[in-house]
Amino acid sequence: MRALFSAAAVALLLPGSLGRVYNILNNCIQGINVYIDGKSQGRVPSGTSIVRNLPKDWSGYIYSDANGGRADGSNGTKAGFHGEVSLLGCFFINVVS
């Protein structure tokens, strides 16, 4: 059986460059728990998203427990962001197992 995990984290600059908005979308067929640098952001039902505002120079990882991922970031796929280098745009993750 194949499981498909697809998530998108979109970083947009806030007005006045105060920070960025991260829209984290769950395209899995089931709900997932989302973590930002090991801190739970809650459960995201299938087909829904959560939005987080982070400083514009934030560096870190966004990941989930989909396909065996863990709260500490092991056994899963992560979206990595590095400060202001992560300019406007999208980061997509697709894992097929």
Coordinates of all heavy atoms in Angstrom, one line a residue:
M1 N 0.8 -1.2 0.0 CA 0.0 0.0 0.0 C 0.9 1.2 0.0 O 1.9 1.3 0.7 CB -0.9 0.0 1.2 CG -1.7 1.3 1.4 SD -2.5 1.3 3.0 CE -4.1 0.9 2.5
R2 N 0.5 2.2 -0.8 CA 1.3 3.4 -0.9 C 0.6 4.5 -0.1 O -0.6 4.7 -0.1 CB 1.4 3.9 -2.4 CG 2.3 2.9 -3.2 CD 2.3 3.3 -4.6 NE 2.5 4.7 -4.8 CZ 2.8 5.3 -5.9 NH1 2.8 4.6 -7.0 NH2 3.0 6.6 -6.1
A3 N 1.5 5.2 0.6 CA 0.9 6.4 1.4 C 1.5 7.6 0.7 O 2.7 7.7 0.4 CB 1.3 6.3 2.8
L4 N 0.7 8.7 0.6 CA 1.2 9.9 0.0 C 1.1 11.0 1.0 O 0.1 11.2 1.6 CB 0.4 10.3 -1.2 CG 0.6 11.6 -1.9 CD1 2.0 11.6 -2.5 CD2 -0.4 11.9 -2.9
F5 N 2.2 11.7 1.2 CA 2.3 12.8 2.1 C 2.7 14.0 1.3 O 3.7 14.0 0.6 CB 3.3 12.6 3.2 CG 3.6 13.9 4.0 CD1 2.6 14.5 4.7 CD2 4.8 14.4 4.1 CE1 2.8 15.7 5.4 CE2 5.1 15.6 4.8 CZ 4.1 16.2 5.5
S6 N 1.9 15.0 1.3 CA 2.1 16.2 0.6 C 1.8 17.4 1.5 O 0.7 17.5 2.0 CB 1.3 16.3 -0.7 OG 1.5 17.5 -1.3
A7 N 2.8 18.3 1.7 CA 2.6 19.4 2.5 C 3.3 20.6 1.9 O 4.2 20.5 1.1 CB 3.2 19.2 3.9
A8 N 2.7 21.8 2.1 CA 3.3 23.0 1.5 C 3.4 24.0 2.6 O 2.5 24.2 3.4 CB 2.4 23.5 0.4
A9 N 4.6 24.6 2.7 CA 4.8 25.7 3.6 C 5.1 26.9 2.8 O 6.1 26.9 2.1 CB 5.9 25.4 4.6
V10 N 4.3 27.9 2.9 CA 4.4 29.1 2.0 C 4.9 30.3 2.9 O 4.2 30.6 3.9 CB 3.1 29.5 1.3 CG1 3.3 30.7 0.5 CG2 2.6 28.3 0.5
A11 N 5.9 30.9 2.6 CA 6.4 32.0 3.4 C 6.2 33.3 2.7 O 6.6 33.5 1.6 CB 7.9 31.9 3.7
L12 N 5.5 34.2 3.3 CA 5.2 35.5 2.8 C 5.7 36.6 3.7 O 5.5 36.5 4.9 CB 3.7 35.7 2.5 CG 3.0 34.6 1.7 CD1 1.5 34.8 1.7 CD2 3.5 34.8 0.2
L13 N 6.2 37.7 3.2 CA 6.7 38.8 4.0 C 5.4 39.6 4.5 O 4.5 39.8 3.7 CB 7.6 39.7 3.3 CG 9.0 39.1 3.0 CD1 9.8 40.1 2.2 CD2 9.7 38.9 4.3
L14 N 5.4 39.9 5.8 CA 4.4 40.8 6.3 C 4.7 42.2 6.0 O 5.8 42.6 5.8 CB 4.3 40.6 7.8 CG 3.8 39.3 8.4 CD1 4.0 39.2 9.9 CD2 2.4 39.0 8.0
P15 N 3.6 43.1 5.9 CA 3.9 44.5 5.6 C 4.9 45.1 6.6 O 4.9 44.8 7.8 CB 2.5 45.1 5.8 CG 1.5 44.0 5.6 CD 2.2 42.8 6.1
G16 N 5.8 45.9 6.1 CA 6.8 46.5 6.9 C 7.9 45.6 7.3 O 8.7 45.9 8.1
S17 N 7.9 44.4 6.7 CA 9.0 43.4 6.9 C 9.1 43.1 8.4 O 10.2 42.8 8.9 CB 10.3 43.9 6.3 OG 10.2 44.0 4.9
L18 N 8.0 43.0 9.1 CA 8.0 42.6 10.5 C 8.2 41.1 10.7 O 8.6 40.7 11.8 CB 6.7 43.1 11.2 CG 6.5 44.6 11.2 CD1 5.1 44.8 11.8 CD2 7.5 45.3 12.0
G19 N 7.9 40.3 9.7 CA 8.0 38.9 9.8 C 7.4 38.2 8.6 O 7.3 38.8 7.6
R20 N 7.2 36.9 8.8 CA 6.6 36.1 7.7 C 5.5 35.3 8.1 O 5.4 34.9 9.3 CB 7.7 35.2 7.1 CG 8.8 35.9 6.4 CD 9.8 34.9 5.9 NE 11.0 35.7 5.6 CZ 11.9 35.3 4.8 NH1 11.8 34.2 4.2 NH2 12.9 36.1 4.5
V21 N 4.6 35.0 7.2 CA 3.4 34.2 7.4 C 3.7 32.8 6.8 O 4.0 32.8 5.6 CB 2.1 34.8 6.8 CG1 1.0 33.8 7.0 CG2 1.9 36.2 7.4
Y22 N 3.6 31.8 7.6 CA 3.8 30.4 7.1 C 2.5 29.7 7.1 O 1.8 29.5 8.1 CB 4.8 29.6 8.0 CG 6.2 30.1 7.8 CD1 6.7 31.3 8.5 CD2 7.1 29.5 7.0 CE1 7.9 31.7 8.4 CE2 8.4 29.9 6.9 CZ 8.8 31.1 7.6 OH 10.1 31.5 7.5
N23 N 2.0 29.3 5.9 CA 0.7 28.6 5.7 C 1.1 27.2 5.5 O 1.7 26.8 4.5 CB 0.0 29.2 4.5 CG -1.4 28.6 4.3 OD1 -1.9 28.0 5.3 ND2 -1.9 28.6 3.1
I24 N 0.7 26.3 6.4 CA 1.1 24.9 6.4 C -0.1 24.1 6.1 O -1.1 24.0 6.9 CB 1.7 24.5 7.7 CG1 2.9 25.4 8.1 CG2 2.1 23.0 7.7 CD1 3.3 25.4 9.5
L25 N -0.1 23.5 4.9 CA -1.3 22.8 4.3 C -1.1 21.3 4.4 O -0.1 20.8 4.0 CB -1.5 23.2 2.9 CG -2.5 22.4 2.1 CD1 -3.9 22.7 2.6 CD2 -2.4 22.9 0.6
N26 N -2.1 20.6 4.9 CA -2.1 19.1 5.0 C -2.9 18.5 3.9 O -4.1 18.6 3.8 CB -2.7 18.7 6.3 CG -2.8 17.1 6.4 OD1 -2.2 16.4 5.6 ND2 -3.5 16.6 7.4
N27 N -2.2 17.9 2.9 CA -2.9 17.2 1.8 C -2.9 15.7 2.0 O -3.2 15.0 1.0 CB -2.1 17.6 0.5 CG -2.5 18.9 -0.1 OD1 -3.6 19.4 0.2 ND2 -1.6 19.6 -0.7
C28 N -2.6 15.3 3.2 CA -2.7 13.8 3.5 C -4.1 13.4 3.5 O -5.0 14.3 3.7 CB -2.0 13.5 4.8 SG -0.3 13.8 4.9
I29 N -4.4 12.1 3.5 CA -5.8 11.6 3.6 C -6.2 11.5 5.0 O -7.4 11.2 5.3 CB -5.9 10.3 2.8 CG1 -5.0 9.2 3.4 CG2 -5.7 10.5 1.3 CD1 -5.3 7.8 2.9
Q30 N -5.3 11.8 5.9 CA -5.6 11.7 7.4 C -5.0 13.0 8.1 O -4.1 13.6 7.5 CB -5.1 10.5 8.0 CG -3.6 10.3 7.9 CD -3.1 8.9 8.2 OE1 -3.8 8.0 8.0 NE2 -1.9 8.8 8.7
G31 N -5.5 13.2 9.3 CA -4.9 14.3 10.1 C -3.5 14.0 10.5 O -3.0 12.9 10.6
I32 N -2.7 15.1 10.6 CA -1.3 15.0 11.1 C -1.0 16.0 12.2 O -1.7 17.0 12.3 CB -0.3 15.3 9.9 CG1 -0.5 16.7 9.3 CG2 -0.4 14.2 8.8 CD1 0.5 17.1 8.3
N33 N 0.0 15.6 13.0 CA 0.5 16.6 14.0 C 1.6 17.3 13.4 O 2.5 16.7 12.8 CB 0.9 15.8 15.3 CG -0.3 15.2 16.0 OD1 -1.2 15.9 16.3 ND2 -0.2 13.9 16.2
V34 N 1.6 18.6 13.6 CA 2.7 19.5 13.0 C 3.5 20.0 14.1 O 3.1 20.4 15.2 CB 2.0 20.6 12.1 CG1 3.1 21.6 11.7 CG2 1.3 20.0 11.0
Y35 N 4.8 20.1 13.8 CA 5.8 20.6 14.8 C 6.7 21.7 14.1 O 7.0 21.6 12.9 CB 6.7 19.5 15.2 CG 6.0 18.3 15.8 CD1 5.6 17.3 15.1 CD2 5.6 18.4 17.2 CE1 4.8 16.2 15.6 CE2 4.9 17.3 17.7 CZ 4.5 16.3 17.0 OH 3.8 15.2 17.5
I36 N 7.0 22.7 14.9 CA 8.0 23.7 14.5 C 9.1 23.7 15.5 O 8.9 24.0 16.7 CB 7.4 25.1 14.3 CG1 6.3 25.1 13.3 CG2 8.5 26.1 14.0 CD1 5.6 26.5 13.1
D37 N 10.3 23.2 15.0 CA 11.5 23.0 15.9 C 11.1 22.3 17.2 O 11.5 22.7 18.3 CB 12.1 24.4 16.2 CG 12.8 25.0 15.1 OD1 13.2 24.2 14.2 OD2 13.0 26.2 15.0
G38 N 10.4 21.2 17.1 CA 10.1 20.3 18.2 C 8.9 20.7 19.1 O 8.5 20.0 20.0
K39 N 8.3 21.9 18.8 CA 7.2 22.3 19.5 C 5.9 22.0 18.7 O 5.7 22.4 17.6 CB 7.3 23.8 19.8 CG 8.4 24.2 20.7 CD 8.5 25.7 20.9 CE 9.8 25.9 21.7 NZ 10.4 27.2 21.3
S40 N 4.9 21.4 19.4 CA 3.7 21.0 18.7 C 2.9 22.2 18.3 O 2.7 23.2 19.1 CB 2.9 20.1 19.7 OG 1.6 19.8 19.0
Q41 N 2.4 22.2 17.1 CA 1.5 23.2 16.6 C 0.1 22.7 16.5 O -0.8 23.4 16.0 CB 2.0 23.7 15.2 CG 3.4 24.2 15.2 CD 3.6 25.4 16.2 OE1 3.0 26.4 16.1 NE2 4.6 25.2 17.1
G42 N -0.1 21.5 17.0 CA -1.5 20.9 17.1 C -1.7 20.0 15.9 O -0.9 19.8 15.1
R43 N -2.9 19.4 15.9 CA -3.3 18.5 14.9 C -4.0 19.3 13.7 O -4.8 20.1 13.9 CB -4.3 17.5 15.4 CG -4.6 16.4 14.5 CD -4.8 15.1 15.2 NE -5.0 13.9 14.3 CZ -4.0 13.2 13.9 NH1 -2.8 13.4 14.2 NH2 -4.3 12.2 13.0
V44 N -3.6 18.9 12.5 CA -4.1 19.6 11.3 C -4.9 18.5 10.5 O -4.4 17.6 10.0 CB -3.0 20.2 10.4 CG1 -3.6 20.8 9.2 CG2 -2.1 21.1 11.2
P45 N -6.3 18.7 10.5 CA -7.1 17.7 9.8 C -6.8 17.7 8.3 O -6.3 18.7 7.7 CB -8.5 18.2 10.0 CG -8.4 19.1 11.2 CD -7.1 19.7 11.2
S46 N -7.1 16.6 7.6 CA -6.9 16.5 6.2 C -7.6 17.6 5.4 O -8.7 18.0 5.7 CB -7.5 15.1 5.7 OG -7.3 15.0 4.3
G47 N -6.9 18.2 4.5 CA -7.4 19.2 3.6 C -7.5 20.6 4.2 O -8.1 21.5 3.7
T48 N -6.9 20.8 5.4 CA -6.9 22.1 6.1 C -5.5 22.6 6.3 O -4.6 21.9 6.0 CB -7.7 22.0 7.4 OG1 -6.9 21.2 8.3 CG2 -9.1 21.5 7.3
S49 N -5.4 23.8 6.8 CA -4.1 24.4 7.0 C -4.1 25.1 8.3 O -5.1 25.4 8.9 CB -3.7 25.3 5.8 OG -4.6 26.4 5.8
I50 N -2.9 25.4 8.7 CA -2.6 26.3 9.9 C -1.7 27.4 9.4 O -0.9 27.3 8.5 CB -2.1 25.6 11.1 CG1 -0.7 24.9 10.8 CG2 -3.0 24.6 11.7 CD1 0.0 24.3 12.0
V51 N -1.8 28.6 10.1 CA -1.0 29.7 9.7 C -0.2 30.1 10.9 O -0.7 30.2 12.0 CB -1.9 30.9 9.2 CG1 -1.0 32.1 9.0 CG2 -2.6 30.5 8.0
R52 N 1.1 30.3 10.7 CA 2.0 30.8 11.8 C 2.8 32.0 11.4 O 3.3 32.1 10.2 CB 3.0 29.7 12.2 CG 2.3 28.5 12.8 CD 1.6 28.8 14.1 NE 1.0 27.7 14.8 CZ -0.3 27.4 14.7 NH1 -1.1 28.2 14.0 NH2 -0.8 26.4 15.3
N53 N 2.9 33.0 12.2 CA 3.6 34.2 12.0 C 5.0 34.1 12.7 O 5.0 33.9 13.9 CB 2.9 35.5 12.5 CG 1.6 35.7 11.7 OD1 1.6 35.7 10.5 ND2 0.5 35.9 12.5
L54 N 6.1 34.2 12.0 CA 7.4 34.0 12.6 C 8.2 35.2 12.2 O 8.0 35.8 11.1 CB 8.0 32.7 12.1 CG 7.3 31.4 12.6 CD1 7.8 30.2 11.9 CD2 7.3 31.3 14.1
P55 N 9.3 35.5 12.9 CA 10.2 36.6 12.6 C 10.7 36.4 11.2 O 11.0 35.3 10.7 CB 11.3 36.6 13.6 CG 10.7 35.9 14.8 CD 9.7 34.9 14.2
K56 N 11.0 37.5 10.5 CA 11.5 37.4 9.1 C 12.9 36.7 9.0 O 13.2 36.2 8.0 CB 11.6 38.8 8.4 CG 12.6 39.7 8.9 CD 12.7 41.0 8.2 CE 13.8 41.9 8.7 NZ 13.9 43.1 7.9
D57 N 13.7 36.8 10.1 CA 15.0 36.1 10.1 C 15.0 34.8 10.8 O 16.0 34.2 11.1 CB 16.0 37.0 10.7 CG 15.7 37.4 12.2 OD1 14.6 37.1 12.7 OD2 16.6 37.9 12.9
W58 N 13.8 34.2 11.0 CA 13.6 32.9 11.7 C 14.3 31.8 10.9 O 14.2 31.7 9.6 CB 12.2 32.5 11.9 CG 12.0 31.2 12.4 CD1 12.2 30.8 13.7 CD2 11.5 30.0 11.7 NE1 11.9 29.4 13.9 CE2 11.5 28.9 12.7 CE3 11.2 29.7 10.4 CZ2 11.1 27.6 12.3 CZ3 10.8 28.5 10.1 CH2 10.8 27.4 11.0
S59 N 15.0 30.9 11.6 CA 15.6 29.7 10.9 C 15.1 28.5 11.7 O 15.1 28.5 12.9 CB 17.2 29.8 11.0 OG 17.7 30.8 10.3
G60 N 14.7 27.5 11.0 CA 14.3 26.3 11.7 C 13.6 25.3 10.7 O 13.7 25.4 9.5
Y61 N 13.0 24.3 11.4 CA 12.3 23.2 10.6 C 10.8 23.1 10.9 O 10.4 23.3 12.1 CB 13.0 21.9 10.9 CG 14.4 21.8 10.5 CD1 15.4 22.0 11.4 CD2 14.7 21.5 9.2 CE1 16.7 21.9 11.0 CE2 16.0 21.4 8.7 CZ 17.0 21.6 9.7 OH 18.3 21.5 9.2
I62 N 10.1 22.8 9.9 CA 8.6 22.5 10.0 C 8.5 21.1 9.6 O 9.0 20.7 8.5 CB 7.8 23.5 9.2 CG1 8.0 24.9 9.7 CG2 6.3 23.1 9.3 CD1 7.3 26.0 8.8
Y63 N 7.8 20.3 10.4 CA 7.6 18.8 10.0 C 6.4 18.3 10.7 O 5.7 19.0 11.5 CB 8.9 18.0 10.3 CG 9.4 18.3 11.7 CD1 9.1 17.5 12.8 CD2 10.3 19.3 12.0 CE1 9.6 17.7 14.1 CE2 10.8 19.5 13.2 CZ 10.5 18.7 14.3 OH 10.9 19.0 15.5
S64 N 6.1 17.0 10.4 CA 4.9 16.4 11.0 C 5.2 14.9 11.4 O 6.3 14.4 11.2 CB 3.8 16.4 9.9 OG 4.0 15.4 9.0
D65 N 4.2 14.3 11.9 CA 4.3 12.9 12.2 C 3.8 11.9 11.1 O 3.7 10.7 11.3 CB 3.6 12.6 13.6 CG 2.1 12.8 13.5 OD1 1.6 13.3 12.4 OD2 1.4 12.5 14.5
A66 N 3.6 12.5 9.9 CA 3.1 11.7 8.8 C 4.2 10.6 8.4 O 5.4 10.9 8.6 CB 2.8 12.5 7.6
N67 N 3.7 9.5 8.0 CA 4.6 8.4 7.6 C 5.7 8.1 8.6 O 6.9 7.8 8.2 CB 5.3 8.8 6.2 CG 4.3 8.9 5.1 OD1 3.3 8.2 5.1 ND2 4.5 9.8 4.2
G68 N 5.4 8.1 9.9 CA 6.3 7.6 10.9 C 7.2 8.7 11.4 O 8.1 8.5 12.2
G69 N 7.0 10.0 11.1 CA 7.8 11.1 11.6 C 7.5 11.2 13.1 O 6.5 10.8 13.6
R70 N 8.5 11.8 13.8 CA 8.4 12.0 15.3 C 8.5 13.4 15.7 O 9.0 14.2 14.9 CB 9.5 11.2 15.9 CG 9.3 9.7 15.7 CD 10.4 8.9 16.4 NE 10.2 7.5 16.2 CZ 11.2 6.6 16.2 NH1 12.4 7.0 16.6 NH2 11.0 5.4 16.0
A71 N 8.1 13.7 16.9 CA 8.1 15.1 17.4 C 9.5 15.7 17.4 O 9.7 16.9 17.3 CB 7.5 15.1 18.8
D72 N 10.5 14.8 17.6 CA 11.9 15.3 17.6 C 12.5 15.5 16.2 O 13.6 15.9 16.0 CB 12.8 14.4 18.4 CG 13.0 13.0 17.8 OD1 12.4 12.7 16.7 OD2 13.7 12.2 18.4
G73 N 11.7 15.3 15.2 CA 12.1 15.5 13.8 C 12.7 14.3 13.1 O 13.0 14.3 11.9
S74 N 12.9 13.2 13.9 CA 13.5 12.0 13.3 C 12.4 11.2 12.5 O 11.2 11.3 12.7 CB 14.1 11.1 14.4 OG 13.1 10.6 15.3
N75 N 12.9 10.4 11.6 CA 12.1 9.5 10.8 C 11.1 10.1 9.9 O 10.1 9.5 9.4 CB 11.4 8.5 11.7 CG 12.3 7.5 12.3 OD1 13.4 7.4 12.0 ND2 11.8 6.8 13.3
G76 N 11.3 11.4 9.6 CA 10.4 12.1 8.7 C 11.1 13.0 7.8 O 12.3 13.1 7.7
T77 N 10.3 13.8 7.0 CA 10.8 14.8 6.1 C 10.5 16.1 6.6 O 9.4 16.4 7.2 CB 10.1 14.6 4.7 OG1 10.4 13.3 4.2 CG2 10.7 15.6 3.7
K78 N 11.5 17.0 6.6 CA 11.3 18.4 7.1 C 11.5 19.4 6.0 O 12.2 19.2 5.1 CB 12.5 18.6 8.1 CG 12.5 17.7 9.3 CD 13.7 18.1 10.2 CE 14.3 16.9 10.7 NZ 15.5 17.1 11.5
A79 N 10.8 20.5 6.3 CA 11.0 21.7 5.5 C 11.9 22.6 6.3 O 11.6 23.0 7.4 CB 9.6 22.4 5.2
G80 N 13.0 23.0 5.7 CA 14.0 23.8 6.4 C 14.0 25.2 5.9 O 14.0 25.5 4.6
F81 N 14.1 26.2 6.8 CA 14.2 27.6 6.4 C 15.4 28.2 7.1 O 15.6 27.9 8.3 CB 12.9 28.3 6.9 CG 11.6 27.7 6.2 CD1 11.0 26.7 6.7 CD2 11.2 28.3 5.0 CE1 9.9 26.1 6.1 CE2 10.1 27.7 4.4 CZ 9.4 26.7 4.9
H82 N 16.1 29.1 6.4 CA 17.3 29.7 6.9 C 17.2 31.2 6.8 O 17.6 31.8 5.8 CB 18.5 29.1 6.2 CG 19.8 29.7 6.8 ND1 20.3 29.3 8.0 CD2 20.7 30.6 6.3 CE1 21.4 30.0 8.3 NE2 21.7 30.7 7.2
G83 N 16.7 31.8 7.9 CA 16.7 33.3 8.0 C 16.2 34.0 6.7 O 15.2 33.5 6.1
E84 N 16.8 35.1 6.4 CA 16.3 35.9 5.3 C 16.6 35.3 3.9 O 16.2 35.8 2.9 CB 16.8 37.3 5.4 CG 16.2 38.0 6.6 CD 16.6 39.5 6.7 OE1 16.4 40.2 5.6 OE2 17.0 40.0 7.7
V85 N 17.4 34.2 3.9 CA 17.7 33.6 2.6 C 16.4 32.9 2.1 O 16.2 32.9 0.9 CB 18.8 32.5 2.8 CG1 19.0 31.7 1.6 CG2 20.0 33.1 3.3
S86 N 15.5 32.5 2.9 CA 14.2 32.0 2.5 C 13.2 33.1 2.1 O 12.3 33.4 2.8 CB 13.6 31.1 3.6 OG 14.5 30.2 4.1
L87 N 13.5 33.7 1.0 CA 12.7 34.8 0.5 C 11.3 34.3 0.0 O 11.0 33.2 0.0 CB 13.5 35.6 -0.6 CG 14.8 36.2 -0.1 CD1 15.5 36.8 -1.3 CD2 14.5 37.2 1.0
L88 N 10.6 35.3 -0.5 CA 9.2 34.9 -1.0 C 9.2 33.7 -1.8 O 10.1 33.5 -2.7 CB 8.7 36.1 -1.8 CG 8.3 37.3 -1.0 CD1 7.9 38.4 -2.0 CD2 7.1 37.1 -0.1
G89 N 8.3 32.8 -1.6 CA 8.2 31.7 -2.4 C 7.6 30.5 -1.7 O 7.0 30.7 -0.6
C90 N 7.7 29.3 -2.3 CA 7.0 28.2 -1.7 C 8.0 27.1 -1.5 O 9.0 27.0 -2.2 CB 6.0 27.6 -2.6 SG 4.7 28.8 -3.0
F91 N 7.8 26.2 -0.5 CA 8.6 25.0 -0.3 C 7.6 23.9 -0.2 O 6.7 23.9 0.6 CB 9.4 25.2 1.0 CG 10.3 24.1 1.2 CD1 11.7 24.2 0.9 CD2 9.9 22.8 1.8 CE1 12.6 23.2 1.1 CE2 10.8 21.8 2.0 CZ 12.1 22.0 1.6
F92 N 7.8 22.9 -1.1 CA 6.9 21.8 -1.1 C 7.6 20.5 -0.7 O 8.8 20.3 -1.1 CB 6.3 21.6 -2.5 CG 5.4 22.7 -2.9 CD1 6.0 23.8 -3.7 CD2 4.1 22.8 -2.5 CE1 5.2 24.8 -4.1 CE2 3.3 23.9 -2.9 CZ 3.9 24.9 -3.7
I93 N 6.9 19.6 0.0 CA 7.4 18.3 0.3 C 6.5 17.3 -0.2 O 5.3 17.3 -0.1 CB 7.4 18.1 1.9 CG1 8.2 19.2 2.5 CG2 8.0 16.7 2.2 CD1 8.0 19.2 4.0
N94 N 7.0 16.3 -0.9 CA 6.3 15.1 -1.4 C 7.0 13.9 -1.0 O 8.2 13.7 -1.5 CB 6.0 15.2 -2.9 CG 5.1 16.3 -3.3 OD1 4.0 16.3 -2.8 ND2 5.5 17.2 -4.2
V95 N 6.4 13.0 -0.3 CA 7.0 11.7 0.1 C 6.1 10.6 -0.3 O 4.9 10.6 0.1 CB 7.3 11.7 1.6 CG1 7.9 10.3 2.0 CG2 8.2 12.8 2.1
V96 N 6.6 9.7 -1.1 CA 5.7 8.5 -1.5 C 6.4 7.3 -0.9 O 7.6 7.1 -1.2 CB 5.6 8.5 -3.0 CG1 4.8 7.2 -3.4 CG2 5.0 9.7 -3.5
S97 N 5.7 6.5 -0.1 CA 6.3 5.3 0.4 C 5.4 4.1 0.1 O 4.3 4.2 -0.1 CB 6.6 5.4 1.9 OG 5.4 5.7 2.6

